[in-house]
Amino acid sequence: MKAARLESVSEMATRSVEKPIAGPGEILVKVLAAGICGSDRHMFKGEYPTARPVTLGHEFCGTVESIGQGVTRFSGGELVTIDPNIACGICPACRNAQPNLCARLTAIGVTRDGGFAEHAAVPEGQAFLLPADLDPVHGAFSEPLACCLHAIDKAEIRSGGSVAILGGGVIGLLMVQLAKLEGAAKVILITRQASRRQMALDLGATHAFDPSATDTVSAVRDLTGGGADVVIECAGVPETLRTGIAMTRRGGNFVLFGVTPAGLEVPITPFDLLVNEVTIRPAYLNPFTHDRAAALVASGALELDKLVTKTIGLDDVAAVIGQSPEAGEIKVIVRP
Ligand SMILES: [Zn+2]
Ligand SMILES: [Zn+2]
């Protein structure tokens, strides 16, 4: 079968590899759709640890083609979405119901072969059932959505409240929709690209600001009477960390979701945090949220088609991952 393999740092190729077999407790998934994620680009550049060589692809959906020994939840033919993150179940974090913080976390499409391939073998416990007639492209959104849901859980948005979202990529645009579903009265998206601001407004944001043209801290404070109840940082750059904390209302929640380069330091002002009681809540990966993400995708409550800006085959994966996102790019979907 064909697979897009990360061979070594900055070296990726689509090649013919042996078709995997479902081992004991595993299912073999015929991949129908897989999303390219910003993390894939970090992995390509060696900025995020992976196995090498490895087949990338951690956001995917497909049908169960065969089952391994002892598999009980699937018989074959089902449409499934895969939670790529495999927790050990026995370390202190796992024992405390925080599998995203597992000391021995492994991941499909990161440390073992993933979904940029015609087939992938995965433990059955990582697979979640989707309705058979669901568009598999929508199913492929379950993984990023599951991570967003963890952030939304941490954000504690209240009906009628205000939410500011920094970053207008696929994550920011999913967060806009989720904030609306939570009942936020004001949903403010902050991003440089005009096309993304327009899309956010189309998806239900009430306001969209360009940080290169507007003092966003003042704008959000004016609009909300002192700061947003919740701020969700999805850009992962020092500037949005600084402005995001500053535009959170006294007593509000600042959710850290964007991935900054490891080792990056950003100055904070403890006095301001103290007297304003701004709570910084990091939200990492998808602990126990993949099932809800799959259910939400299946419900049709989210606008996902608009977020897909390009669809490619396996042969073009390396070219997309090896380059910076194109202007206007939101989500690239691979259809093997
Ligand atoms: Zn991802
Ligand atoms: Zn663990």
Side-chain angles (χ1 to χ4, degrees):
M1 67 160 193
K2 270 207 255 183
R5 306 272 289 168
L6 180 66
E7 308 281 0
S8 57
V9 172
S10 299
E11 204 187 308
M12 217 180 152
T14 297
R15 62 178 71 253
S16 183
V17 298
E18 211 162 307
K19 183 176 167 181
I21 296 164
E26 291 184 344
I27 58 173
L28 184 69
V29 177
K30 179 176 167 36
V31 181
L32 298 177
I36 290 181
C37 168
S39 312
D40 292 314
R41 289 191 169 104
H42 289 298
M43 292 178 212
F44 176 82
K45 289 189 245 174
E47 296 168 351
Y48 191 96
T50 66
R52 287 186 291 262
V54 70
T55 301
L56 296 182
H58 60 271
E59 306 179 353
F60 63 100
C61 171
T63 48
V64 180
E65 185 170 291
S66 61
I67 62 172
Q69 203 187 351
V71 168
T72 56
R73 293 171 52 240
F74 301 100
S75 55
E78 298 94 339
L79 186 70
V80 290
T81 158
I82 307 305
D83 172 3
N85 299 307
I86 306 172
C88 77
I90 55 170
C91 74
C94 284
R95 295 279 199 222
N96 280 287
Q98 295 167 311
N100 55 322
L101 306 179
C102 173
R104 286 182 287 272
L105 195 73
T106 58
I108 298 161
V110 181
T111 58
R112 56 180 277 169
D113 288 342
F116 295 150
E118 290 175 86
H119 296 86
V122 304
E124 69 162 325
Q126 301 303 123
F128 292 78
L129 196 62
L130 292 169
D133 59 351
L134 188 82
D135 182 346
V137 172
H138 294 183
F141 276 91
S142 303
E143 197 275 344
L145 187 61
C147 296
C148 291
L149 285 180
H150 180 44
I152 292 291
D153 289 347
K154 289 231 163 169
E156 292 186 11
I157 295 164
R158 293 192 297 172
S159 295
S162 55
V163 181
I165 295 156
L166 297 108
V170 66
I171 295 296
L173 294 169
L174 287 171
M175 294 290 195
V176 164
Q177 300 186 60
L178 294 170
K180 288 298 279 192
L181 287 176
E182 294 289 307
K186 289 185 178 131
V187 178
I188 306 155
L189 185 91
I190 297 165
T191 189
R192 284 205 170 84
Q193 286 189 36
S195 60
R196 291 173 165 186
R197 291 196 300 277
Q198 185 55 52
M199 186 170 298
L201 294 170
D202 293 345
L203 294 171
T206 53
H207 302 80
F209 295 128
D210 175 1
S212 58
T214 306
D215 174 353
T216 55
V217 174
S218 301
V220 170
R221 282 185 181 161
D222 288 349
L223 203 56
T224 55
D229 298 316
V230 166
V231 174
I232 306 176
E233 198 286 330
C234 313
V237 293
E239 179 64 7
T240 48
L241 282 154
R242 188 184 65 75
T243 57
I245 291 170
M247 68 177 66
T248 308
R249 77 158 162 81
R250 304 187 82 176
N253 291 333
F254 173 84
V255 179
L256 173 60
F257 188 91
V259 182
T260 54
L264 177 91
E265 293 185 1
V266 177
I268 58 162
T269 315
F271 180 84
D272 292 347
L273 289 178
L274 176 70
V275 301
N276 293 323
E277 284 199 355
V278 166
T279 305
I280 298 177
R281 299 187 166 186
Y284 182 54
L285 302 180
N286 57 348
F288 305 120
T289 52
H290 203 94
D291 52 350
R292 282 192 287 138
L296 196 52
V297 165
S299 77
L302 298 173
E303 175 61 70
L304 300 173
D305 289 327
K306 276 189 186 158
L307 305 181
V308 178
T309 47
K310 198 176 194 179
T311 302
I312 62 170
L314 284 173
D315 290 332
D316 297 323
V317 171
V320 171
I321 290 179
Q323 287 163 12
S324 303
E326 289 173 4
E329 178 181 312
I330 297 174
K331 194 70 174 172
V332 178
I333 294 284
V334 182
R335 304 219 52 172

